[in-house]
Coordinates of all heavy atoms in Angstrom, one line a residue:
M269 N -8.1 -35.5 3.1 CA -8.9 -34.6 2.2 C -8.0 -33.9 1.2 O -7.0 -33.4 1.5 CB -9.7 -33.7 3.0 CG -10.6 -32.7 2.3 SD -11.5 -31.6 3.3 CE -10.5 -31.3 4.7
R270 N -8.5 -34.0 -0.1 CA -7.6 -33.4 -1.1 C -8.7 -32.6 -2.1 O -9.7 -33.1 -2.4 CB -7.0 -34.5 -1.9 CG -5.9 -33.9 -3.0 CD -5.3 -35.0 -3.9 NE -6.3 -35.3 -4.9 CZ -6.7 -36.6 -5.0 NH1 -6.3 -37.6 -4.3 NH2 -7.6 -36.9 -6.0
I271 N -8.2 -31.4 -2.5 CA -9.0 -30.6 -3.5 C -8.5 -30.9 -4.9 O -7.4 -30.8 -5.2 CB -8.7 -29.0 -3.2 CG1 -9.1 -28.6 -1.7 CG2 -9.5 -28.2 -4.2 CD1 -8.7 -27.3 -1.4
D272 N -9.5 -31.3 -5.7 CA -9.2 -31.4 -7.1 C -10.0 -30.4 -7.9 O -11.1 -30.0 -7.6 CB -9.9 -32.8 -7.5 CG -8.9 -33.9 -6.9 OD1 -7.7 -33.8 -6.9 OD2 -9.6 -35.0 -6.7
V273 N -9.2 -29.9 -9.0 CA -9.8 -28.8 -9.8 C -9.8 -29.4 -11.3 O -8.8 -29.9 -11.8 CB -8.9 -27.6 -9.8 CG1 -9.4 -26.5 -10.6 CG2 -8.6 -27.1 -8.4
D274 N -11.0 -29.2 -11.9 CA -11.1 -29.5 -13.3 C -10.8 -28.2 -14.0 O -11.6 -27.4 -14.1 CB -12.6 -30.0 -13.5 CG -12.7 -30.4 -15.0 OD1 -12.0 -30.0 -15.9 OD2 -13.7 -31.2 -15.3
R275 N -9.6 -28.2 -14.6 CA -9.1 -26.9 -15.2 C -9.9 -26.7 -16.5 O -10.0 -25.5 -16.9 CB -7.6 -27.0 -15.5 CG -6.7 -27.0 -14.3 CD -6.7 -25.6 -13.8 NE -6.1 -25.6 -12.4 CZ -6.1 -24.6 -11.7 NH1 -6.6 -23.4 -12.1 NH2 -5.6 -24.5 -10.5
D276 N -10.5 -27.7 -17.1 CA -11.3 -27.4 -18.2 C -12.6 -26.6 -17.9 O -13.2 -26.0 -18.8 CB -11.7 -28.7 -19.0 CG -10.5 -29.3 -19.5 OD1 -9.5 -28.6 -19.8 OD2 -10.5 -30.6 -19.7
K277 N -13.1 -26.7 -16.7 CA -14.3 -26.1 -16.3 C -14.1 -24.8 -15.6 O -14.9 -23.8 -15.8 CB -15.1 -27.0 -15.2 CG -15.7 -28.3 -15.9 CD -16.5 -29.0 -14.8 CE -17.1 -30.2 -15.4 NZ -17.8 -31.0 -14.4
C278 N -13.0 -24.6 -14.9 CA -12.8 -23.4 -14.0 C -12.8 -22.2 -15.0 O -12.0 -22.2 -16.0 CB -11.5 -23.5 -13.3 SG -11.1 -22.0 -12.4
E279 N -13.6 -21.2 -14.7 CA -13.7 -19.9 -15.5 C -13.1 -18.7 -14.7 O -13.4 -17.6 -15.1 CB -15.1 -19.7 -15.9 CG -15.6 -20.8 -16.9 CD -17.0 -20.6 -17.3 OE1 -17.6 -19.6 -16.9 OE2 -17.5 -21.5 -18.0
G280 N -12.5 -19.0 -13.6 CA -11.9 -17.9 -12.8 C -12.9 -17.0 -12.2 O -12.7 -15.8 -12.2
L281 N -14.0 -17.5 -11.8 CA -15.1 -16.7 -11.3 C -14.9 -16.2 -9.9 O -15.5 -15.3 -9.4 CB -16.4 -17.4 -11.4 CG -16.8 -17.9 -12.8 CD1 -17.9 -18.8 -12.9 CD2 -17.0 -16.6 -13.7
G282 N -14.1 -16.9 -9.1 CA -13.6 -16.5 -7.8 C -14.5 -16.8 -6.6 O -14.3 -16.3 -5.5
M283 N -15.6 -17.5 -6.8 CA -16.4 -17.8 -5.7 C -15.7 -18.6 -4.6 O -15.8 -18.4 -3.4 CB -17.7 -18.6 -6.0 CG -18.6 -17.8 -7.0 SD -19.1 -16.2 -6.3 CE -20.2 -16.7 -5.0
C284 N -14.8 -19.5 -5.1 CA -14.0 -20.3 -4.1 C -13.2 -19.4 -3.2 O -13.0 -19.6 -2.1 CB -13.2 -21.3 -4.9 SG -12.2 -20.6 -6.3
E285 N -12.5 -18.4 -3.8 CA -11.6 -17.5 -3.1 C -12.4 -16.8 -2.1 O -12.0 -16.5 -1.0 CB -10.9 -16.6 -4.1 CG -10.0 -15.6 -3.3 CD -9.3 -14.6 -4.3 OE1 -10.1 -13.9 -5.0 OE2 -8.1 -14.5 -4.3
A286 N -13.6 -16.3 -2.5 CA -14.5 -15.6 -1.5 C -14.8 -16.4 -0.3 O -14.9 -15.9 0.7 CB -15.7 -15.1 -2.3
M287 N -15.0 -17.7 -0.6 CA -15.5 -18.6 0.5 C -14.3 -19.0 1.4 O -14.5 -19.4 2.6 CB -16.2 -19.8 -0.1 CG -17.4 -19.4 -0.8 SD -18.7 -18.7 0.2 CE -19.3 -20.1 1.1
A288 N -13.1 -19.2 0.8 CA -12.0 -19.9 1.5 C -10.6 -19.3 0.9 O -9.9 -20.0 0.1 CB -12.0 -21.3 1.4
H289 N -10.3 -18.0 1.2 CA -9.2 -17.4 0.6 C -7.9 -18.1 1.1 O -6.8 -17.8 0.5 CB -9.1 -15.9 0.9 CG -9.1 -15.5 2.4 ND1 -7.8 -15.4 2.9 CD2 -10.0 -15.4 3.3 CE1 -8.1 -15.1 4.3 NE2 -9.3 -15.1 4.5
E290 N -7.9 -18.8 2.1 CA -6.7 -19.6 2.6 C -6.2 -20.6 1.6 O -5.1 -21.1 1.6 CB -6.9 -20.1 4.0 CG -7.3 -19.3 5.1 CD -8.8 -19.1 5.3 OE1 -9.5 -19.3 4.3 OE2 -9.2 -18.9 6.4
Y291 N -7.3 -21.1 0.8 CA -7.1 -22.2 -0.1 C -7.1 -21.8 -1.5 O -6.5 -22.6 -2.3 CB -8.1 -23.3 0.3 CG -7.7 -23.8 1.7 CD1 -8.6 -23.5 2.7 CD2 -6.7 -24.7 1.9 CE1 -8.4 -23.9 4.0 CE2 -6.5 -25.2 3.2 CZ -7.3 -24.8 4.2 OH -7.0 -25.2 5.5
F292 N -7.8 -20.9 -1.9 CA -7.9 -20.5 -3.3 C -7.5 -19.0 -3.6 O -7.9 -18.1 -2.8 CB -9.4 -20.7 -3.7 CG -9.9 -22.1 -3.5 CD1 -10.7 -22.2 -2.3 CD2 -9.7 -23.1 -4.3 CE1 -11.2 -23.6 -2.1 CE2 -10.2 -24.3 -4.1 CZ -10.9 -24.6 -3.0
E293 N -6.7 -18.8 -4.7 CA -6.4 -17.4 -4.9 C -6.4 -17.2 -6.4 O -5.9 -18.0 -7.3 CB -4.9 -17.2 -4.5 CG -4.3 -15.8 -4.7 CD -3.0 -15.7 -4.0 OE1 -2.0 -16.0 -4.7 OE2 -2.9 -15.2 -2.9
L294 N -7.1 -16.0 -6.8 CA -7.1 -15.6 -8.2 C -6.0 -14.6 -8.4 O -5.9 -13.6 -7.6 CB -8.5 -15.2 -8.6 CG -9.5 -16.1 -9.1 CD1 -9.9 -17.1 -8.1 CD2 -10.6 -15.5 -9.7
D295 N -5.4 -14.7 -9.6 CA -4.4 -13.6 -9.9 C -5.1 -12.6 -10.8 O -6.2 -12.7 -11.1 CB -3.1 -14.2 -10.6 CG -3.4 -14.8 -11.9 OD1 -4.5 -14.6 -12.5 OD2 -2.5 -15.6 -12.4
D296 N -4.4 -11.7 -11.3 CA -5.0 -10.6 -12.1 C -5.5 -11.1 -13.4 O -6.4 -10.4 -14.0 CB -3.9 -9.5 -12.4 CG -3.4 -8.8 -11.2 OD1 -4.2 -8.8 -10.2 OD2 -2.4 -8.2 -11.1
D297 N -5.2 -12.3 -13.9 CA -5.7 -12.8 -15.1 C -6.9 -13.7 -14.8 O -7.3 -14.5 -15.7 CB -4.7 -13.6 -15.9 CG -3.5 -12.7 -16.3 OD1 -3.7 -11.5 -16.6 OD2 -2.4 -13.2 -16.4
D298 N -7.4 -13.8 -13.6 CA -8.4 -14.6 -13.1 C -8.0 -16.2 -13.3 O -8.8 -17.1 -13.5 CB -9.7 -14.4 -13.9 CG -10.3 -13.1 -13.5 OD1 -10.0 -12.5 -12.4 OD2 -11.2 -12.6 -14.4
T299 N -6.8 -16.4 -13.2 CA -6.3 -17.8 -13.1 C -6.3 -18.1 -11.6 O -5.7 -17.5 -10.8 CB -4.9 -18.0 -13.6 OG1 -4.9 -17.5 -15.0 CG2 -4.4 -19.4 -13.5
M300 N -6.9 -19.2 -11.2 CA -7.1 -19.7 -9.9 C -6.0 -20.6 -9.5 O -5.7 -21.6 -10.2 CB -8.4 -20.3 -9.6 CG -8.8 -20.6 -8.2 SD -8.2 -22.1 -7.6 CE -9.3 -23.3 -8.4
T301 N -5.4 -20.3 -8.4 CA -4.4 -21.2 -7.8 C -4.9 -21.8 -6.5 O -5.4 -21.1 -5.7 CB -3.1 -20.5 -7.5 OG1 -2.6 -19.8 -8.7 CG2 -1.9 -21.3 -6.9
V302 N -4.7 -23.1 -6.3 CA -5.0 -23.8 -5.1 C -3.8 -23.6 -4.2 O -2.7 -24.0 -4.6 CB -5.4 -25.3 -5.2 CG1 -5.6 -25.9 -3.9 CG2 -6.5 -25.4 -6.2
L303 N -3.9 -22.8 -3.1 CA -2.7 -22.6 -2.3 C -2.3 -23.8 -1.5 O -1.1 -24.0 -1.2 CB -3.0 -21.5 -1.4 CG -3.4 -20.1 -2.1 CD1 -3.9 -19.1 -1.0 CD2 -2.3 -19.6 -2.9
D304 N -3.3 -24.7 -1.1 CA -3.0 -25.9 -0.3 C -4.1 -26.9 -0.7 O -5.2 -26.6 -0.4 CB -3.0 -25.6 1.2 CG -2.8 -26.8 2.1 OD1 -2.6 -27.9 1.5 OD2 -2.9 -26.5 3.3
D305 N -3.6 -28.0 -1.4 CA -4.6 -28.9 -1.9 C -5.0 -30.0 -0.9 O -5.7 -30.9 -1.1 CB -4.3 -29.4 -3.3 CG -3.1 -30.3 -3.2 OD1 -2.5 -30.5 -2.2 OD2 -2.9 -30.9 -4.3
S306 N -4.4 -29.9 0.3 CA -4.6 -30.9 1.3 C -5.0 -30.3 2.6 O -4.2 -30.3 3.6 CB -3.3 -31.8 1.5 OG -2.9 -32.4 0.3
P307 N -6.2 -29.7 2.7 CA -6.6 -29.0 4.0 C -6.8 -30.0 5.1 O -7.1 -31.1 5.0 CB -8.0 -28.5 3.7 CG -8.1 -28.6 2.1 CD -7.3 -29.7 1.7
P308 N -6.4 -29.4 6.3 CA -6.7 -30.2 7.6 C -8.1 -30.5 7.8 O -9.0 -29.7 7.3 CB -6.0 -29.4 8.7 CG -6.1 -28.0 8.1 CD -5.9 -28.1 6.7
E309 N -8.5 -31.5 8.4 CA -9.8 -31.9 8.7 C -10.6 -30.8 9.3 O -11.9 -30.6 9.1 CB -9.8 -33.1 9.7 CG -11.1 -33.9 9.6 CD -11.5 -34.4 8.3 OE1 -10.6 -34.8 7.4 OE2 -12.7 -34.4 8.0
V310 N -10.0 -29.9 10.1 CA -10.7 -28.9 10.9 C -11.3 -27.8 10.0 O -12.3 -27.1 10.2 CB -9.7 -28.2 11.9 CG1 -8.6 -27.4 11.1 CG2 -10.5 -27.2 12.8
D311 N -10.8 -27.8 8.6 CA -11.2 -26.8 7.7 C -12.2 -27.5 6.7 O -12.5 -26.8 5.6 CB -10.2 -26.2 6.9 CG -9.5 -25.0 7.7 OD1 -10.1 -24.6 8.7 OD2 -8.4 -24.6 7.4
R312 N -12.7 -28.7 6.9 CA -13.5 -29.4 6.0 C -14.8 -28.6 5.6 O -15.1 -28.5 4.5 CB -13.9 -30.7 6.5 CG -14.8 -31.6 5.5 CD -15.1 -32.9 6.0 NE -14.1 -33.8 5.9 CZ -13.7 -34.5 4.9 NH1 -14.5 -34.5 3.7 NH2 -12.7 -35.4 4.9
S313 N -15.4 -28.0 6.6 CA -16.8 -27.4 6.3 C -16.5 -26.1 5.4 O -17.3 -25.8 4.5 CB -17.5 -27.1 7.5 OG -16.7 -26.2 8.3
K314 N -15.4 -25.5 5.7 CA -15.1 -24.2 5.0 C -14.8 -24.5 3.5 O -15.2 -23.9 2.6 CB -13.9 -23.5 5.5 CG -13.4 -22.3 4.7 CD -12.2 -21.7 5.3 CE -12.7 -20.7 6.4 NZ -11.6 -19.7 6.8
V315 N -13.8 -25.5 3.3 CA -13.5 -26.0 2.0 C -14.7 -26.5 1.2 O -14.9 -26.3 0.0 CB -12.3 -27.0 2.1 CG1 -12.0 -27.5 0.7 CG2 -11.1 -26.3 2.6
H316 N -15.5 -27.3 1.9 CA -16.7 -27.9 1.3 C -17.6 -26.8 0.8 O -18.2 -26.9 -0.3 CB -17.5 -28.7 2.3 CG -18.5 -29.5 1.8 ND1 -19.9 -29.2 2.0 CD2 -18.7 -30.6 0.9 CE1 -20.7 -30.0 1.3 NE2 -20.0 -30.8 0.6
A317 N -17.8 -25.8 1.6 CA -18.6 -24.6 1.2 C -18.0 -23.9 -0.1 O -18.8 -23.5 -1.0 CB -18.7 -23.6 2.3
A318 N -16.8 -23.9 -0.1 CA -16.1 -23.3 -1.4 C -16.4 -24.2 -2.6 O -16.7 -23.7 -3.7 CB -14.7 -23.0 -1.1
V319 N -16.2 -25.5 -2.4 CA -16.5 -26.5 -3.5 C -17.9 -26.3 -3.9 O -18.2 -26.2 -5.2 CB -16.3 -27.9 -3.0 CG1 -16.7 -28.9 -4.0 CG2 -14.7 -28.1 -2.9
E320 N -18.9 -26.1 -3.1 CA -20.3 -26.1 -3.3 C -20.6 -24.7 -4.0 O -21.5 -24.7 -4.8 CB -21.2 -26.2 -2.1 CG -21.1 -27.6 -1.5 CD -22.0 -28.6 -2.3 OE1 -23.1 -28.3 -2.4 OE2 -21.3 -29.6 -2.7
A321 N -19.8 -23.7 -3.8 CA -20.0 -22.4 -4.2 C -19.6 -22.2 -5.7 O -20.1 -21.2 -6.3 CB -19.4 -21.4 -3.4
C322 N -18.8 -23.1 -6.2 CA -18.3 -23.0 -7.6 C -19.6 -23.1 -8.5 O -20.1 -24.1 -8.6 CB -17.2 -23.9 -7.9 SG -16.7 -23.8 -9.6
P323 N -19.8 -22.0 -9.4 CA -21.0 -22.1 -10.3 C -20.8 -23.1 -11.4 O -21.8 -23.5 -11.9 CB -21.0 -20.7 -10.9 CG -20.0 -19.8 -10.0 CD -19.1 -20.8 -9.4
V324 N -19.6 -23.5 -11.7 CA -19.5 -24.4 -12.8 C -19.0 -25.8 -12.4 O -18.6 -26.7 -13.1 CB -18.5 -23.8 -13.9 CG1 -19.1 -22.6 -14.6 CG2 -17.1 -23.6 -13.3
M325 N -19.1 -25.9 -11.1 CA -18.7 -27.3 -10.5 C -17.4 -27.8 -10.9 O -17.2 -29.0 -11.3 CB -19.8 -28.3 -10.8 CG -21.1 -28.0 -10.1 SD -22.4 -29.2 -10.4 CE -23.0 -28.8 -12.0
A326 N -16.4 -26.9 -10.9 CA -15.0 -27.2 -11.2 C -14.2 -27.9 -10.1 O -13.1 -28.4 -10.3 CB -14.3 -26.0 -11.7
L327 N -14.8 -27.8 -8.9 CA -14.1 -28.3 -7.7 C -14.7 -29.5 -7.1 O -15.9 -29.7 -7.2 CB -14.1 -27.2 -6.6 CG -13.4 -25.9 -6.9 CD1 -13.7 -24.9 -5.8 CD2 -11.9 -26.0 -7.2
S328 N -13.8 -30.4 -6.6 CA -14.3 -31.6 -5.9 C -13.3 -31.8 -4.7 O -12.2 -31.5 -4.7 CB -14.5 -32.8 -6.9 OG -13.2 -33.1 -7.4
L329 N -13.9 -32.6 -3.8 CA -13.1 -33.1 -2.7 C -13.0 -34.6 -2.7 O -14.0 -35.3 -2.9 CB -13.8 -32.7 -1.3 CG -13.6 -31.3 -0.8 CD1 -14.3 -31.1 0.5 CD2 -12.2 -30.9 -0.7
A330 N -11.7 -35.0 -2.4 CA -11.5 -36.5 -2.4 C -11.1 -36.8 -1.0 O -10.3 -36.1 -0.4 CB -10.5 -36.9 -3.4
G331 N -11.7 -37.7 -0.4 CA -11.2 -38.2 1.0 C -12.0 -37.6 2.1 O -12.7 -36.7 1.9
Ligands
SF4_1160 S1 -15.3 -20.7 -8.1 FE1 -15.0 -22.4 -9.7 S2 -14.8 -21.3 -11.6 FE2 -14.5 -19.9 -9.9 S3 -12.3 -19.8 -9.7 FE3 -13.1 -21.2 -8.2 S4 -13.0 -23.2 -9.3 FE4 -12.8 -21.7 -10.8

């Protein structure tokens, strides 16, 4: 499983961080960093929820 970010879409809204702070982090400029783009299978539902929560659909999961 891999997290992909469409940087053209991401607006730093932070829903992903709220849903899965282990994987997404916003800095003071609202720039989002993916802390680990290859989550283990055990975290699939959490990461999927974060992907679904993004209001601008900037996130996707591959694999
Ligand atoms: S929820 Fe979407 S727009 Fe907000 S920081 Fe995460 S990826 Fe970017």
Side-chain angles (χ1 to χ4, degrees):
M269 178 175 30
R270 191 188 72 241
I271 300 169
D272 287 326
V273 184
D274 185 336
R275 290 285 167 192
D276 291 336
K277 288 184 180 175
C278 178
E279 296 180 3
L281 301 171
M283 297 305 289
C284 52
E285 182 185 51
M287 299 295 286
H289 61 89
E290 302 93 328
Y291 295 100
F292 304 96
E293 184 175 84
L294 267 71
D295 68 14
D296 292 342
D297 298 328
D298 290 340
T299 300
M300 190 273 285
T301 299
V302 178
L303 301 175
D304 177 0
D305 69 356
S306 301
E309 200 58 35
V310 66
D311 278 347
R312 178 178 287 274
S313 62
K314 172 181 278 195
V315 175
H316 186 255
V319 168
E320 293 285 303
C322 178
V324 295
M325 292 182 283
L327 300 174
S328 58
L329 277 184

